[in-house]
Amino acid sequence: QVQLVGSGGGSVQAGDSLRVSCAASGDTLRGYAMAWFRQALGKEREFVAALSRTGGYTYYGDSVKGRFTISTDNGKNTLYLQMNNLKPEDTAVYYCTAGKRVITSSLRNHMAYDSWGQGTQVTVSS
């Protein structure tokens, strides 16, 4: 099972950009579905973005579509989330996750994934 370590969070102003990373070890990310979820204080965990197991398809939550981009660097075995035009409502702890048995219809369901990073805080001030 792959182990994940998230990093790259921080405090930024509204309109800024930030990239969070998720380094994998113990297995290659090839063949895994991968995703980012976020959880704001007092709220449910929310789907942000996902990559299908084949890596050919990306999916985004409505609130981040057009602003966030999920990608991987297979050479570095790392997952990324590029976040542009950040808004205060993007403030949350961001979690990376991966799963080998996640089917397309379950990509937005956090319960479908097996491995989770520890979370990285992103704070956006107005």
Side-chain angles (χ1 to χ4, degrees):
Q1 188 166 328
V2 69
Q3 289 84 49
L4 304 173
V5 177
S7 63
S11 296
V12 297
Q13 298 286 319
D16 285 351
S17 297
L18 194 65
R19 188 178 75 168
V20 290
S21 303
C22 181
S25 62
D27 198 359
T28 175
L29 285 174
R30 291 180 190 272
Y32 281 81
M34 292 165 276
W36 290 93
F37 287 79
R38 67 187 182 187
Q39 189 162 17
L41 198 61
K43 295 190 176 181
E44 301 271 322
R45 191 162 294 195
E46 177 189 11
F47 169 75
V48 175
L51 266 172
S52 63
R53 280 185 295 165
T54 62
Y57 296 95
T58 56
Y59 304 83
Y60 295 94
D62 289 342
S63 61
V64 307
K65 204 173 295 183
R67 299 188 297 122
F68 290 12
T69 303
I70 187 171
S71 64
T72 57
D73 183 330
N74 290 324
K76 295 182 179 179
N77 212 28
T78 299
L79 175 70
Y80 299 102
L81 182 69
Q82 176 67 42
M83 302 180 288
N84 297 329
N85 190 22
L86 281 159
K87 303 176 180 180
E89 52 263 42
D90 294 319
T91 295
V93 177
Y94 283 71
Y95 296 92
C96 57
T97 185
K100 268 196 167 179
R101 294 174 294 276
V102 183
I103 59 176
T104 302
S105 60
S106 297
L107 283 168
R108 297 169 185 263
N109 182 357
H110 66 90
M111 296 181 68
Y113 295 86
D114 306 310
S115 302
W116 288 85
Q118 82 283 12
T120 184
Q121 176 71 45
V122 173
T123 302
V124 185
S125 54
S126 56

